[in-house]
Amino acid sequence: MKLTQGVRGIGLVAGLAIGGAALGACSSGSSSSSTTAGPTSSSGIPSTSSTTPAPSTTSTGPTRCTTAGLVGSIVGSSGAAGTIETTVGLRSTATTRCILGGYPGLQMLGPGGATLPTNVVRKGNYSFTSMAPTTVTLSSGQSAYFNIGYSDVPVGNETSCPTSASLEVTPPNATDQLVITATLSPCGGGTLVVSPVFLAAGSNSQSTAPGA
């Protein structure tokens, strides 16, 4: 009888010990936590960063002069020793500045607008057409110019040379045309030598035909 009570006492003590250990383990597990924090500054305060893109700056200059914004006319002409020099002006009617640069296109027209044989040569050997191309900026009402040179002496089997009533001009880098009154009689199959556009106040203004 005493032995039985002793065994029961030992079992009770053992059970209490095991229960206490289990409670300790649960208490320890419930007190642990995991915290994820962002980067902190040297003062220990979490830092925040934001990236703001710098504003873009785009500078736009004058755009190409449109054909509709140009008015053409013959502004000067002279001739000597069978060589004819004619200067054409292109006046800007745009409300803002615009640019032109390079060589114009040409097509001679007869009465009623019929096309005539026209052979356009850029630069050529004339002193008034052989200047280097430049880009010119026009304000409203300002003009750019180009020179045309040709021979009015028939060559080869030619007995006469085509004579225009008007001239179709394609401004540099354009695809549409304007028409001006112009009487030109180039021989050599209607060969016209053309200069690039220039400003009368520019370095090549001395190449403008007399009377311009």
Side-chain angles (χ1 to χ4, degrees):
M1 184 67 176
K2 290 181 180 180
L3 180 59
T4 302
Q5 290 177 346
V7 172
R8 288 179 179 176
I10 293 171
L12 180 59
V13 172
L16 290 174
I18 294 171
L23 288 174
C26 291
S27 175
S28 174
S30 63
S31 65
S32 64
S33 62
S34 174
T35 303
T36 302
T40 58
S41 64
S42 58
S43 62
I45 301 174
S47 63
T48 58
S49 62
S50 62
T51 303
T52 303
S56 60
T57 57
T58 303
S59 58
T60 57
T63 57
R64 181 182 63 82
C65 298
T66 63
T67 303
L70 296 170
V71 175
S73 62
I74 300 293
V75 297
S77 186
S78 67
T83 298
I84 308 299
E85 177 186 6
T86 300
T87 297
V88 177
L90 298 174
R91 179 172 56 87
S92 173
T93 60
T95 57
T96 58
R97 295 192 306 160
C98 61
I99 59 174
L100 285 176
Y103 293 87
L106 305 174
Q107 172 63 57
M108 292 196 301
L109 303 176
T115 59
L116 297 178
T118 306
N119 176 33
V120 179
V121 177
R122 294 181 175 184
K123 189 175 180 178
N125 295 320
Y126 297 126
S127 61
F128 52 86
T129 61
S130 60
M131 71 279 284
T134 58
T135 298
V136 300
T137 302
L138 302 181
S139 299
S140 182
Q142 191 175 13
S143 295
Y145 304 90
F146 64 88
N147 294 327
I148 299 171
Y150 63 89
S151 171
D152 61 355
V153 178
V155 295
N157 295 325
E158 288 181 332
T159 57
S160 63
C161 303
T163 299
S164 69
S166 57
L167 183 66
E168 187 179 76
V169 178
T170 305
N173 302 308
T175 57
D176 50 352
Q177 297 79 33
L178 55 89
V179 178
I180 63 175
T181 300
T183 303
L184 308 174
S185 300
C187 296
T191 298
L192 299 175
V193 181
V194 65
S195 78
V197 295
F198 58 89
L199 285 176
S203 61
N204 49 8
S205 60
Q206 70 276 9
S207 296
T208 304

